[in-house]
Amino acid sequence: MFVIPNLILNLILSMNYKSFSLFFVVLFMSFTNLPSKTNSIKTSIKTETTAVSKNVSVYNQLDANSFVLPSFDCFNLALDGFHLLKEKGLVQKNVLTLVDFSLSSNMKRLWVIDLDRNMILFNTLVAHGRNTGEEFAAQFSNQAESFKSSIGFYATGEIYDGKHGLSLKLDGLEKGLNDKARERAVVVHGADYVSESFIKQNKRLGRSQGCPAIPVEMNAKIINVIKNKSCLFIYHPSATHEIISRLTA
């Protein structure tokens, strides 16, 4: 039952017929023009569905270039994040690097994708931190000296020559997840423990101190493509909600 407040009721009683008619029309229009929560939800769902459909189209048209495709779940989240970061000006190049830490470290779980040509350029092994897990990555941290990998979105920085040779600095873009990357010296670099021969000898890939280390022979090729403000995304399904919420905060 709709109840008219006393103040409005007294105002109505003091009006003449014409004034009352005009007041009623304005009052009716104000109620009918209120935003509909249902319509807002429908619009949101439609927008999200459209975005997923676009990502599906891009994914289906990817030139695998003889490599195995990344999972759609990883790619979908990565592409959404890439577009958001590109709009904010935090990344500039149309190059997307995916690291899928849901996969065994014995698998090639890093992809570099040229989004202009819609082509996979590289697909290779990549290490996780020694305290993140054995064969599989399971625990992540943003803390110094944790020797764990950090998940989420990064912007690639500048090249330097360090103790591992040619290396690439990273800027973590998600507060609390990876924003201490520079402080922790989490970088892309080559390592001899990231190789098929190491896997054969140890039943698993070697591990880093938290860096996404890659094979020595791939190091310069990949770094020179992804350097200077491209997007690098480290994925794990257990943290999808946290990655999204901190990215859009």
Side-chain angles (χ1 to χ4, degrees):
M1 181 178 177
F2 178 70
V3 179
I4 301 176
N6 288 335
L7 182 62
I8 297 177
L9 182 60
N10 291 335
L11 182 61
I12 291 173
L13 293 174
S14 65
M15 291 179 178
N16 58 33
Y17 175 76
K18 289 183 178 180
S19 298
F20 173 77
S21 299
L22 180 60
F23 175 81
F24 181 79
V25 170
V26 172
L27 185 64
F28 177 77
M29 289 179 67
S30 70
F31 278 110
T32 56
N33 287 333
L34 285 174
S36 167
K37 185 175 181 180
T38 302
N39 288 340
S40 297
I41 293 172
K42 287 181 179 178
T43 301
S44 177
I45 293 173
K46 185 176 180 180
T47 301
E48 290 177 7
T49 302
T50 301
V52 172
S53 296
K54 288 181 179 178
N55 291 354
V56 168
S57 178
V58 174
Y59 183 78
N60 288 337
Q61 294 176 47
L62 266 180
D63 181 350
N65 198 17
S66 78
F67 299 118
V68 175
L69 289 174
S71 73
F72 177 72
D73 286 344
C74 176
F75 179 82
N76 182 48
L77 183 54
L79 196 58
D80 282 346
F82 165 81
H83 287 306
L84 181 60
L85 295 172
K86 192 82 184 290
E87 287 175 8
K88 292 181 177 181
L90 296 174
V91 298
Q92 296 173 1
K93 300 169 79 170
N94 290 333
V95 174
L96 178 59
T97 303
L98 311 182
V99 176
D100 186 351
F101 275 163
S102 71
L103 300 176
S104 163
S105 60
N106 298 341
M107 297 177 66
K108 294 181 178 180
R109 53 184 181 167
L110 180 146
W111 291 261
V112 178
I113 302 172
D114 181 336
L115 293 175
D116 284 329
R117 292 187 288 167
N118 212 31
M119 176 187 291
I120 296 176
L121 303 179
F122 305 104
N123 174 213
T124 190
L125 298 167
V126 59
H128 56 248
R130 68 176 65 163
N131 289 337
T132 281
E134 293 283 334
E135 179 183 340
F136 287 89
Q139 298 179 21
F140 307 95
S141 176
N142 192 38
Q143 298 302 312
E145 306 302 323
S146 66
F147 297 152
K148 292 181 180 179
S149 298
S150 300
I151 53 174
F153 286 90
Y154 297 78
T156 61
E158 65 277 18
I159 294 175
Y160 71 101
D161 196 19
K163 65 179 182 179
H164 297 289
L166 190 72
S167 303
L168 178 66
K169 293 187 177 181
L170 298 174
D171 290 300
L173 302 178
E174 301 198 68
K175 189 172 182 179
L177 281 185
N178 60 22
D179 60 325
K180 293 183 180 179
R182 287 251 176 182
E183 176 186 326
R184 297 179 59 203
V186 173
V187 301
V188 177
H189 66 78
D192 54 11
Y193 55 77
V194 186
S195 64
E196 296 290 352
S197 61
F198 190 97
I199 293 173
K200 289 178 182 178
Q201 292 173 15
N202 299 276
K203 307 302 180 184
R204 62 162 174 79
L205 196 68
R207 296 168 297 167
S208 68
Q209 293 185 346
C211 298
I214 57 179
V216 173
E217 68 274 15
M218 301 294 298
N219 192 46
K221 296 175 185 177
I222 290 176
I223 283 179
N224 280 302
V225 169
I226 71 174
K227 64 182 180 181
N228 298 331
K229 297 292 185 182
S230 74
C231 180
L232 184 147
F233 175 53
I234 297 180
Y235 169 80
H236 194 275
S238 67
T240 297
H241 176 73
E242 192 173 12
I243 290 169
I244 295 170
S245 62
R246 295 188 189 233
L247 182 67
T248 57

